[in-house]
Amino acid sequence: MTTKLFGEPIARREDARLIVGKGRYLDDIGHGALGVAFVRSPHANARILDIDVSAAVEVAGVHAIYSYEDLDGAMAQPLPVLIPHPSLTAPRTGYPLANGSVSHVGEPIVMVVADDRYLAEDAAERIVVDYEFRTPVVGVEAAERADSAVHEDIPDNVAARLVQEFGDVDAALLQAPHTVSFTQTIERSASMPLEGKGVHARWDAVDESLRVYTSTQTSTSVRAAIATKLDLSLDRVEVIAPDVGGGFGVKIVHPWPEELLIPWAAIRLGREVKWAEDRREHFVSSAHERGQLQRITAGYDDEGRLLALDAHILHDHGAYTPYGIVVPIITSTQLLGPYRLANYRCQVDSVYTNTVIVTPYRGAGRPQGCFAMERTMDRVADDLGLDRAAVREINLIRADEFPWDNHLIFQDGRPLIYDSGDYPSMLDKLRDLVGWEGFEARRSAAAADGRWLGIGMALYVEGTGVGPYEGGHVQVLPSGKVLVSTGLTSQGQGHETAFAQIVAEELGVPIEDIEVHTGDTRRFAYAVGTFASRAAVMSGNAVALAARAVREKALRIAAEVLEVDAADLDIVDGVVGVRGDPGAVLPLSSVAVLSNPLRYAFDEASRAATQFARFASDDQPPVADDDEPGLEGRDYYSPVRSTFASGAHAVIVEVDPGTCAVTIEKYAVVHDCGRLINPRIVEGQIHGGVAQGVGGALYEVMAYDETGQLQNASFMDFLMPYVSEVPQRIDIGHQETPSPLNPLGIKGAGEAGVIPGSAAIAAALEDALGIRITSMPLGPSQIYDLIRAAQDGTAEMTLNSARRSQEEST
Amino acid sequence: MKPPAFGYAAPRSVEEALAVLADLGHDGKVLAGGQSLIPLLSMRLTAPHTLVDINRIPGLADVTVAEDGSVIVGALVRHAELLAHAQAFEALPLLRRATSNVAHATVRNRGTTCGSVAHADPSGEMTAILAITGGSVQIAAAGRRTRDVGAREFFLGPLESCLGPGELAVSVRFGAPAPRSGSAFLELARRQGDYAMCGVAVTVTLDDSAEVTTVRAAYLSVGPVPDVHDLTAPVAGQRYSTADWRAAGELAASLVEPEGDLHASADYRRRLVSVLTERALPLAAADAVARTQVAA
Ligand SMILES: Cc1cc2nc3c(=O)[nH]c(=O)nc-3n(C[C@H](O)[C@H](O)[C@H](O)COP(=O)(O)OP(=O)(O)OC[C@H]3O[C@@H](n4cnc5c(N)ncnc54)[C@H](O)[C@@H]3O)c2cc1C
């Protein structure tokens, strides 16, 4: 019997290899390659007057020094705007190497190629660039004031003004029995994968072909970009994502300047060339996300029913918009969460600042949307003196109301329609899991001991599995080995395990026989990429469909050989057998041999299989018109629209009244991503997401000073949580509402864990301190400032804290 | 983040090391565990001409408890070794209490205690411990007798010690605790293992009737060098179990001049000085009672 695999918490098959150091990351490739270093702008906003490389060319071992003037053809054009949008009225991108001006610290200006990276850095240090300074724009409020401009021809600094709207917000706000208005901010952070970006390129002059390894989330699209920009035929370019040490969004942006420059230099120099980004480069020349200022007005009735929501958001887009306005679109749509709302308007002004570009980081605008909506719920509850969970409950979409149409357009250009879910039961589970009901008593008891406890919750809905498509290929070799391939890439998600589980179950083969390959354009040329919690939904369904095709063919061939009806056949443990007839069996490996009429018997297995071969009829070709040799299948999955996962987090924090240090006492998660392929992998995704959520809520800031210098561009001062800062235990409850949109009924799980972190922790801190929290993240030094401000009356207290002190005094 | 080219010497004895260092003068730089020096090289914040790697010198890796109870730590003793050293802990518990807060296991496995002191980072735990224990550094140079320099004279400023060109710190000596004294160490870092936003090492000495005679404290990350402050006045003569530790904490806060940075404002640091002191002192007093069997 094949053991059931879909839905089982089996251990990840890739981990042993990665943990013992057998991974093959970008910098493990090409030890003989020339090394590269870049001269990057030390200024946030400047014109380049002169570049003097004379001292650098003297350095022994230098092969080439390139600046914008050396770029030719399409390489001299601006980098592409990947995802245009009608609201993105003033898009702007940089060049592979700066063309006359720089708009953020870290922008590449000169590329040095030398025997190795050490020498390249020696030479880069000797290059002198002359600048004419311009006033840098740092922070969204400075951008909005527009006293100075990031790009001279965009004087208002507005890249895009996106309005999402339904109902009549103004009228509804006027009529609403209660309204609240507030402003809040959320800081920048970044994907910060442990492995930075990196590119290795090798040009074969005889074959006239280029092989590029890049630490990317999309090898197929990098391939197309390179072919276009370097004027090569697509078939001359292959791009491979080796093991990738994390992506979290930053590696879906493409082509990065280096992804073009490294192959370009490899061709010009006829040498292998490699660049592996270092941490400092990653901080100032990759991408950040999150930074927003939100001005919110909400109208609601006496019971806390939300009647209207008006959000005006300033979104910090950094210096350029290569990835379009995906993050603002997601914020403005996913802000709605699991709630019913009749009147909504969200205007996002996406503004330029002289800082690193802003592109999706795990969550991709959802944490901000969730922060807006969930903090609104907390305000409503506080204003009315209602339980925060009860206010959420009364606003939830009910389980019998799916599909739920939000009347907006989502990031995939398709209607924002929630396909399935059960939000009320999710909330019930969460209350149980965290101990919501008994908490007031716990709080008072702790307060009597001088300990400050607080609880908070946040709910979200996450659109996952955006199209347009992903493909899968499944092939059974005559050896019995099953090759599975899909074009999207892996950055640690456990695809080797999850996709194998799907194929093992669909095909009826032992998982040990399955080998999964991803992100290699030699194996699969059509793909979109791994982002937006889409890999399991998209490629998971695609490999399932491909496996079904293989199964069908295998049964057809076996039915002929065994002279039975295909409907009576089943595949168990890699062997085709007749149901109820243990004698009539044919291993899949033999079927694979039989599937190819060219049967050179190179080995015993093939020889054995040929005994089953029947002579084809003299009137028929060996391969029938509608058939192909080989036991393989290829199929694509293309969804009509995204599928919507959901979840709810609750957290209990303790604040030390003396040191203001925050500890997370309990963290509870209820999670619904439809049918689970592997609960263990999903839990791992949640753990990682919660860790990043905690990072965003309590630790991570991009400390730009007013001149646009990033003051904490190292792991010493940019505080990603260590394992010691992440809750040691995360209580997870699963809920499964299958998606009706795809064959496997699954929804994405990749980003979920990070989305509600800042909202839930802000709520818990507010509850613990009794002081209004309007800005995240908060470290102990900021909490100390808040407490002192509350003492001298300059910080706003929650109404609830006043109610509590009243209760105590009566 | 790759260092520029540098020369490398790996002497096999202290004499050879001193000769090489003397030869190189300003061009030489001692390499011990490399946990502070290598990052500085990689970030090109320093570019010494030649590294003098002392890791192959025998005889520098010993921890010795002297008869007077002081603990002498050789130049190649790693933080991890000192942390695990039972006699050192028994003689001077403050050592382990502080060392366990130095970075993480991987850094402690390589970084040396002596190197930490030589590096003279006022955020480093061992600088404060050297100061509060009245310790000293044994400094050798070619053609000269080894000199013994007390903490006060050793630390000149942030990342600045009195070690000159050609000099090697062969060991550091942490002074023995006073009779009837106890100690405690507390710090708060943004993340566990980070350099502290503020840390405090305290000693409390009691008399035979468990009344406070002396209170001293040294701080991390609140000044250019690890000053030792006398906090006795507000609690002198008070019984250890009911002493006004809060007043001592407040006194401490009034004595320090912290600076703010990205992670902690100056005001917040001052607050931590007061809170951590107030919390550490009763622990130290209890330690004094437990260790020395003063009549409690
Ligand atoms: C991630 C990380 C976190 C850290 N966190 C902390 C922390 O929380 N607290 C803390 O205190 N430290 C911390 N450190 C620093 C660590 O303690 C270092 O080990 C220590 O500062 C230096 O010791 P070392 O042996 O590595 O010295 P090296 O890096 O080899 O040298 C440091 C300096 O001291 C000089 N030097 C070293 N030994 C001698 C000697 N015998 N004679 C003369 N000069 C000498 C060197 O020339 C150099 O200038 C951290 C380091 C890292 C990488």
Side-chain angles (χ1 to χ4, degrees), chain A residues 27 117-119 121-122 125-126 278-280 656-661 698-700 703 711-712 714-722 724-725 778-782 784-785 787-788, chain B residues 1-6 39 41-45 47 103-104 121 123 187-195 197 261-272 274-276 279:
Chain A
D27 210 13
R117 171 77 182 240
Y118 294 81
L119 294 171
E121 287 194 21
D122 288 349
E125 237 178 17
R126 289 170 171 77
D278 68 30
R279 189 55 56 185
R280 187 154 53 183
D656 181 325
T659 64
C660 305
L698 297 176
Y699 297 97
E700 297 169 1
Q711 295 172 287
N712 61 339
S714 83
F715 276 166
M716 194 162 153
D717 287 318
F718 176 82
L719 308 177
M720 279 209 296
Y722 301 133
S724 44
E725 279 59 54
L778 284 181
S781 192
Q782 291 82 38
Y784 176 61
D785 290 344
I787 293 171
R788 280 196 313 171
Chain B
M1 295 214 285
K2 303 284 184 205
F6 52 81
L41 288 178
S42 293
M43 290 189 274
R44 297 192 175 219
L45 292 173
H104 306 95
D121 188 334
S123 305
E187 71 168 50
L188 188 69
R190 275 303 260 124
R191 301 169 298 183
Q192 195 180 310
D194 282 351
Y195 284 107
M197 293 183 286
D261 62 20
L262 284 178
H263 308 301
S265 67
D267 281 349
Y268 175 61
R269 280 214 158 87
R270 194 186 299 280
R271 154 76 156 219
L272 287 180
S274 125
V275 172
L276 294 180
R279 291 181 185 177

Side-chain angles (χ1 to χ4, degrees), chain A residues 34-186:
Chain A
L34 300 179
V36 170
F38 289 91
V39 175
R40 296 182 182 276
S41 176
H43 304 298
N45 195 2
R47 203 192 306 277
I48 297 169
L49 301 178
D50 181 51
I51 300 172
D52 179 0
V53 301
S54 52
V57 293
E58 307 285 303
V59 175
V62 168
H63 290 254
I65 299 177
Y66 301 117
S67 62
Y68 177 77
E69 276 61 41
D70 299 298
L71 302 179
D72 48 4
M75 283 293 281
Q77 298 297 311
L79 293 163
V81 179
L82 280 184
I83 313 168
H85 188 278
S87 299
L88 179 57
T89 48
R92 187 55 46 95
T93 54
Y95 293 79
L97 293 170
N99 175 15
S101 67
V102 285
S103 300
H104 67 87
V105 170
E107 200 168 343
I109 300 172
V110 186
M111 175 188 187
V112 181
V113 189
D115 280 340
D116 58 40
R117 171 77 182 240
Y118 294 81
L119 294 171
E121 287 194 21
D122 288 349
E125 237 178 17
R126 289 170 171 77
I127 293 171
V128 183
V129 184
D130 249 354
Y131 301 92
E132 178 192 305
F133 304 118
R134 296 194 294 220
T135 316
V137 179
V138 181
V140 288
E141 285 168 297
E144 187 185 39
R145 279 196 306 276
D147 295 336
S148 44
V150 174
H151 305 291
E152 276 173 340
D153 54 336
I154 309 174
D156 63 357
N157 291 318
V158 175
R161 190 159 274 148
L162 174 75
V163 181
Q164 303 263 22
E165 185 165 23
F166 56 74
D168 186 342
V169 172
D170 295 321
L173 283 176
L174 272 177
Q175 285 159 17
H178 309 272
T179 59
V180 62
S181 292
F182 59 98
T183 300
Q184 59 181 10
T185 60
I186 190 160

Side-chain angles (χ1 to χ4, degrees), chain B residues 33-103:
Chain B
Q35 297 304 290
S36 296
L37 184 53
I38 298 293
L40 291 173
L41 288 178
S42 293
M43 290 189 274
R44 297 192 175 219
L45 292 173
T46 177
H49 182 274
T50 299
L51 294 187
V52 181
D53 181 349
I54 61 170
N55 285 279
R56 288 181 181 74
I57 300 178
L60 290 182
D62 295 327
V63 178
T64 320
V65 179
E67 255 172 43
D68 69 349
S70 62
V71 177
I72 298 154
V73 179
L76 287 177
V77 174
R78 315 288 157 175
H79 295 301
E81 289 160 348
L82 183 59
L83 188 60
H85 203 279
Q87 288 114 296
F89 174 58
E90 211 170 291
L92 193 50
L94 204 43
L95 278 180
R96 183 179 290 172
R97 289 176 186 145
T99 309
S100 64
N101 287 281
V102 175

